[in-house]
Amino acid sequence: MIDYYTGKRPRKYNLRPKINIYTMPKSGEQHNPKTIDFLNRFLEKRNPPPVYGKIENTLSKKKVFEDPRKIEEMSGKLFQVYDFPSYLRPTVNQKADGWKLNVLNTYSGSMINLTQYEGIDDYLKQNFSAGRRSKFRTYKKRLEIAFNIEYKTYYGYISKQEYNNLFDALYQMITRRFSQRNLQNHDIGNWEVYKEIAYPLINKKEGVLFVIYHDKKPISISFDILFDKIVYGYLRSYDIDYAKFYLGFIDANRQLEWHFTNGFEIFDLLKGQYDYKSKLTDSSYYFQKHIIYDSKSFAASIQGTLTTIRVKLFYNFIKLLKMFKVHLIYHKLMDYIIQRKLSKYPLTASTKNKEVISCVDIVELEDSKILKPISLENRDFFFLKKHVYDFLYTNKESLDSIKLFELKGESNAFAICGQKKIRKIAFETV
């Protein structure tokens, strides 16, 4: 999962890691643990690990999963299940007599408990000041003034071609966002896995895709996975040219309205402690690691106990490192290494960044200063989009009402002419 507000990897909104499952040993061999990614099995594959006979939502007091099947050939085995949300309560399969479950808290997650509110208006009123709610309305109103905006929700059906187009656009949004912030993305290599699983989930009403369009162009895309009455925020991003309009908050409020309308009880935003989450969420929980083993087996009991101790020591060590801010040093070092690698590849003229060296509002634009009118549809002027869109937001203008000009006598100088104001911007290539 990828975080569209910050551009950083979540789940510490990371993409799902690959499952690492070891082949189970034959009798008399060393017992290697079977490592299971719970969210992958539970959400993506709809096949919770057989070690759980029942899973209950502790907030709603409802069962979200029950498996009456008898587990065959389980004797002497050991399982490690990670990323199990603490608001779910597991019961070890009753057919697995003598099995023991050790629970360890790992990373924190955040969510919105939708059952505490009557609807989106009640949620906003309880969590945001009147001034903040007014700003949310302003973001949406100004977006709709500036552009021809359409909102779409794909739930139950999406054509393969439209789906591919949207996921390709989402990929471009994410990679551009990471590039803008000079951040590394460890998980984008798993993109094809996500692209493969999301399509059937949407068409089976086990996933939902939210899209905001400017004309026919997607500018914000979010994909959530659904299980029972729980929504999991999985993939999301937006076009950074439209950042001034706070698309993240517009999209989040739109999603929440849909979740309330359709009777969902939890909106789980998963891992990652980011500023926007502290504003949106009302509850936190722990991701847990479960060590499950056959206590009737001496070998499995020893290894289960030792594994529990090792995992507990590891996460205590991580907490200690965070106290001394070591994790921040690590991330800075990794970003530096990535930038060193990228610096080996010189930028072409089309990929070089243009830095603003002056930006001023002027009273009028003399015809003698105009070199030629230009269009944002011309790829040579794509770099102007963000600056034009910022102008639209600030001045409450429509894109259809402005004119753009390249100016004479100055290198990389342009004018944005609206109905209310004129802005002159000059750039240098860096």
Side-chain angles (χ1 to χ4, degrees), residues 252-271:
N253 287 338
R254 182 168 160 262
Q255 288 186 61
L256 281 166
E257 184 173 10
W258 189 90
H259 300 334
F260 279 117
T261 300
N262 287 275
F264 287 95
E265 298 173 349
I266 294 174
F267 186 17
D268 188 342
L269 297 179
L270 301 167
K271 289 182 186 175

Side-chain angles (χ1 to χ4, degrees), residues 67-86:
D67 188 353
R69 296 175 298 170
K70 183 177 180 180
I71 303 175
E72 304 291 345
E73 299 180 358
M74 291 282 289
S75 176
K77 294 185 179 180
L78 171 67
F79 293 82
Q80 287 189 64
V81 181
Y82 63 95
D83 284 354
F84 192 104
S86 62

Side-chain angles (χ1 to χ4, degrees), residues 19-255:
I19 302 176
N20 179 19
I21 299 180
Y22 294 91
T23 303
M24 296 310 300
K26 297 179 181 178
S27 179
E29 295 180 352
Q30 182 181 1
H31 294 267
N32 291 322
K34 184 174 185 179
T35 303
I36 301 173
D37 177 344
F38 177 76
L39 290 182
N40 177 284
R41 292 285 295 269
F42 186 64
L43 298 180
E44 298 172 10
K45 297 189 174 182
R46 302 286 152 154
N47 181 28
V51 290
Y52 301 118
K54 181 174 66 175
I55 298 175
E56 179 187 9
N57 182 336
T58 61
L59 300 176
S60 65
K61 309 300 182 185
K62 298 175 183 177
K63 285 187 294 187
V64 298
F65 169 78
E66 189 168 20
D67 188 353
R69 296 175 298 170
K70 183 177 180 180
I71 303 175
E72 304 291 345
E73 299 180 358
M74 291 282 289
S75 176
K77 294 185 179 180
L78 171 67
F79 293 82
Q80 287 189 64
V81 181
Y82 63 95
D83 284 354
F84 192 104
S86 62
Y87 59 81
L88 299 179
R89 179 187 296 130
T91 300
V92 175
N93 197 311
Q94 296 302 305
K95 303 294 183 180
D97 184 46
W99 279 69
K100 186 172 182 180
L101 166 65
N102 291 339
V103 177
L104 300 168
N105 291 332
T106 58
Y107 300 106
S108 60
S110 52
M111 67 179 189
I112 303 172
N113 185 351
L114 303 177
T115 62
Q116 297 184 135
Y117 311 102
E118 295 179 2
I120 180 65
D121 291 336
D122 187 37
Y123 161 79
L124 292 172
K125 187 175 181 179
Q126 290 196 42
N127 289 278
F128 300 95
S129 66
R132 191 63 175 167
R133 297 197 303 273
S134 176
K135 284 185 178 180
F136 288 155
R137 292 190 293 271
T138 297
Y139 301 154
K140 186 170 183 288
K141 183 178 180 180
R142 293 197 184 185
L143 178 71
E144 293 169 353
I145 289 173
F147 311 106
N148 178 28
I149 294 295
E150 183 181 10
Y151 305 94
K152 278 193 176 183
T153 302
Y154 298 88
Y155 175 63
Y157 176 75
I158 186 172
S159 71
K160 188 66 173 179
Q161 180 177 353
E162 190 166 14
Y163 171 81
N164 286 336
N165 291 340
L166 288 172
F167 254 65
D168 289 345
L170 178 57
Y171 179 88
Q172 293 300 322
M173 291 177 189
I174 291 169
T175 54
R176 188 178 175 210
R177 179 66 169 154
F178 274 81
S179 175
Q180 178 209 37
R181 296 177 64 89
N182 292 325
L183 295 172
Q184 59 182 110
N185 179 359
H186 301 277
D187 301 308
I188 203 71
N190 288 336
W191 186 257
E192 290 303 318
V193 174
Y194 272 84
K195 190 174 180 180
E196 180 181 351
I197 66 164
Y199 178 70
L201 290 176
I202 293 169
N203 283 289
K204 290 189 291 186
K205 293 189 174 182
E206 295 172 349
V208 57
L209 195 66
F210 298 93
V211 185
I212 301 175
Y213 290 92
H214 165 202
D215 289 331
K216 299 298 181 181
K217 176 189 175 184
I219 60 174
S220 172
I221 303 174
S222 298
F223 171 63
D224 296 342
I225 295 183
L226 315 172
F227 196 104
D228 191 64
K229 295 297 182 179
I230 307 172
V231 182
Y232 293 88
Y234 244 56
L235 296 170
R236 56 197 63 231
S237 195
Y238 65 91
D239 187 328
I240 57 177
D241 288 336
Y242 299 78
K244 190 72 172 179
F245 293 87
Y246 298 89
L247 290 180
F249 286 104
I250 295 174
D251 176 63
N253 287 338
R254 182 168 160 262
Q255 288 186 61

Side-chain angles (χ1 to χ4, degrees), residues 221-327:
I221 303 174
S222 298
F223 171 63
D224 296 342
I225 295 183
L226 315 172
F227 196 104
D228 191 64
K229 295 297 182 179
I230 307 172
V231 182
Y232 293 88
Y234 244 56
L235 296 170
R236 56 197 63 231
S237 195
Y238 65 91
D239 187 328
I240 57 177
D241 288 336
Y242 299 78
K244 190 72 172 179
F245 293 87
Y246 298 89
L247 290 180
F249 286 104
I250 295 174
D251 176 63
N253 287 338
R254 182 168 160 262
Q255 288 186 61
L256 281 166
E257 184 173 10
W258 189 90
H259 300 334
F260 279 117
T261 300
N262 287 275
F264 287 95
E265 298 173 349
I266 294 174
F267 186 17
D268 188 342
L269 297 179
L270 301 167
K271 289 182 186 175
Q273 299 300 313
Y274 302 119
D275 183 58
Y276 84 90
K277 286 190 179 183
S278 66
K279 292 182 173 66
L280 290 175
T281 58
D282 61 16
S283 307
S284 61
Y285 64 92
Y286 279 106
F287 280 94
Q288 298 175 338
K289 177 166 281 192
H290 293 174
I291 313 297
I292 309 170
Y293 58 92
D294 183 2
S295 64
K296 300 192 303 298
S297 165
F298 177 75
S301 294
I302 292 296
Q303 190 172 6
T305 301
L306 292 175
T307 300
T308 301
I309 294 171
R310 177 179 56 81
V311 172
K312 186 179 294 187
L313 288 173
F314 171 77
Y315 285 105
N316 285 339
F317 180 63
I318 293 296
K319 290 179 182 177
L320 181 64
L321 292 179
K322 286 187 174 182
M323 286 177 58
F324 292 99
K325 310 295 184 183
V326 174
H327 64 299

